Amino acid sequence: GDIVLFAKPVTLTEGDRVTLTTDVPLATDGTSKPEKLLYAVSLPPVHGQIEHINYPSVPISSYSQLDVMAQKVSDVHDNSHGAGKESLR
């Protein structure tokens, strides 16, 4: 079916870690299989990375809607000085 995506920007400051929830990326394709609905990180954060909470400090390039629903994905700022705020969209 059609894919519908609802997304809100997440803003991080130096050293922040934000766990992604369905308030940030929420997608549906009309099926009941969120483990098969995947997000690809096409533009990784400039000052940090997207991580699976079971593998801290390891950047990931994709994750599923099920991972988001289970709160297993974080956006982590790298704590670089002078980087200021950064947004995930």
Side-chain angles (χ1 to χ4, degrees):
D2 294 333
I3 295 176
V4 178
L5 174 64
F6 300 97
K8 294 179 187 176
V10 173
T11 301
L12 290 92
T13 55
E14 194 174 303
D16 277 353
R17 170 184 296 270
V18 174
T19 299
L20 303 185
T21 66
T22 55
D23 286 342
V24 179
L26 174 60
T28 181
D29 64 355
T31 70
S32 59
K33 297 182 180 184
E35 68 277 7
K36 292 189 177 186
L37 190 55
L38 300 178
Y39 295 93
V41 180
S42 58
L43 290 172
V46 174
H47 297 287
Q49 59 196 25
I50 307 297
E51 301 177 354
H52 191 281
I53 64 166
N54 291 347
Y55 306 100
S57 302
V58 178
I60 58 175
S61 59
S62 66
Y63 53 92
S64 72
Q65 183 64 44
L66 184 61
D67 292 331
V68 174
M69 293 167 67
Q71 298 184 1
K72 298 280 187 178
V73 181
S74 293
D75 185 355
V76 182
H77 194 282
D78 66 7
N79 206 20
S80 57
H81 296 290
K85 291 184 176 181
E86 183 164 82
S87 295
L88 170 70
R89 297 177 201 248

